[in-house]
Amino acid sequence: MSELEILQMATPAAQALLSCMVSDAWQATKGRFARLLGRESEGEIQIIEGDLEESRREILEGASDTSRVAAEVWKARFRQALLANPEMAEELRTLLSELGAGNSSDRVSQNAVAKDNAVVFQQSSGIQNYYGQANNDE
């Protein structure tokens, strides 16, 4: 499994994990993620469950960048787990499929055309500031 393939799995896995953390799916999925990352080692699974709960608490109580940091942390943990255990890739694919993660029907496509002196603003998240001036020559 190449580094690119691993990253292509680790990123949506971390995103799906964080989505579950802030949804009703958390109790049903927490153990599955922990078993997947812990590779059935009971001691490791308990440690990972604790880490997952701590991440969830930080996200629910935290500042705006907490989710971004948590996503990077869990992406790295998925990456490490996939490097150490490439055979877990199929289990991860199954879990993500069941959660609907990476489903192309969930993707949003935005298109815009600006004509004449028009300005188009498109944004999927975050804060957007515009300091331009309107052209009032007419």
Side-chain angles (χ1 to χ4, degrees):
M1 180 172 248
S2 73
E3 180 71 21
L4 179 59
E5 291 172 311
I6 288 172
L7 285 174
Q8 288 175 333
M9 289 193 73
T11 300
Q15 292 168 345
L17 175 62
L18 267 63
S19 292
C20 289
M21 284 182 180
V22 296
S23 75
D24 293 338
W26 180 239
Q27 291 307 317
T29 57
K30 174 181 67 172
R32 291 185 70 187
F33 278 110
R35 283 188 301 280
L36 186 66
L37 290 167
R39 302 306 302 154
E40 303 300 329
S41 164
E42 200 55 46
E44 188 66 23
I45 290 170
Q46 289 178 355
I47 291 169
I48 292 169
E49 282 184 343
D51 293 346
L52 288 167
E53 283 297 336
E54 183 178 339
S55 287
R56 180 176 190 256
R57 182 187 50 75
E58 289 173 355
I59 289 169
L60 294 176
E61 297 174 356
S64 60
D65 66 337
T66 304
S67 292
R68 183 185 54 76
V69 171
E72 290 300 318
V73 167
W74 287 103
K75 181 170 78 171
R77 288 186 74 167
F78 279 111
R79 182 183 166 277
Q80 289 171 339
L82 285 163
L83 285 170
N85 303 295
E87 66 277 2
M88 79 174 258
E90 192 56 40
E91 294 172 68
L92 182 57
R93 278 188 198 97
T94 300
L95 177 56
L96 294 178
S97 175
E98 290 172 12
L99 295 173
N103 187 341
S104 62
S105 65
D106 293 337
R107 294 192 180 141
V108 174
S109 176
Q110 295 180 331
N111 297 302
V113 176
K115 293 185 178 185
D116 301 322
N117 291 323
V119 177
V120 175
F121 297 95
Q122 288 185 306
Q123 181 172 339
S124 61
S125 66
I127 298 170
Q128 183 178 59
N129 297 306
Y130 177 68
Y131 298 103
Q133 294 179 305
N135 187 356
N136 295 326
D137 294 339
E138 297 178 28

